[in-house]
Amino acid sequence: MSVKIRLKRIGRKHKPIYHIVVSDSRSPRDGKFIEKLGTYNPHIDPPSIVLKMENSVSWLMRGAQPTDTVRSIFSKNGVLLKKHLLEGVKKGALTIEECQKKFDTWYKKYKI
């Protein structure tokens, strides 16, 4: 079974809000899903993004493939960086403390 991390559309007509969900790639866009990872509201300035960081990283480490839009959201929120650093820990290039320190410095620099 191929697992995707993608957007599930909810909300009114012309005012969509999206849930970021993990689902089977064969299920329809607004169909059944495995787990909800967060929400994305593009209609406010700046867009509102609420994520469960640890669950998102966990699914990426298990091999779930994000869609292009979700990949962009994850990149802006540091989920892909966290996954990259944890891969380095798994291979022995970093310790968990170094990983957390690098992520914290990135978070302070690029997140408000």
Side-chain angles (χ1 to χ4, degrees):
M1 174 172 73
S2 178
V3 178
K4 290 268 189 187
I5 302 175
R6 62 183 177 197
L7 299 176
K8 178 180 178 180
R9 188 182 195 276
I10 60 169
R12 304 184 326 173
K13 189 188 312 183
H14 304 292
K15 298 279 187 188
I17 297 174
Y18 299 95
H19 285 170
I20 300 169
V21 298
V22 178
S23 65
D24 182 8
S25 63
R26 298 170 292 182
S27 66
R29 178 191 71 182
D30 297 335
K32 289 171 50 174
F33 60 91
I34 300 169
E35 183 179 357
K36 179 182 166 189
L37 299 177
T39 59
Y40 169 59
N41 184 358
H43 287 287
I44 59 176
D45 192 31
S48 168
I49 299 169
V50 178
L51 279 176
K52 297 178 188 172
M53 174 79 76
E54 295 304 318
N55 293 358
S56 301
V57 172
S58 171
W59 276 105
L60 288 173
M61 295 291 278
R62 286 190 242 162
Q65 296 296 312
T67 60
D68 293 338
T69 307
V70 173
R71 182 178 301 278
S72 174
I73 291 169
F74 280 179
S75 178
K76 291 175 185 170
N77 286 293
V79 175
L80 294 180
L81 175 66
K82 184 87 166 187
K83 177 197 178 272
H84 177 73
L85 292 171
L86 288 175
E87 289 284 341
V89 169
K90 193 163 83 173
K91 292 178 180 177
L94 296 169
T95 64
I96 199 75
E97 293 82 20
E98 292 172 337
C99 169
Q100 190 61 40
K101 184 179 176 185
K102 285 186 178 196
F103 181 75
D104 289 340
T105 56
W106 176 88
Y107 195 80
K108 288 176 186 173
K109 186 175 181 180
Y110 293 107
K111 295 299 282 183
I112 297 172

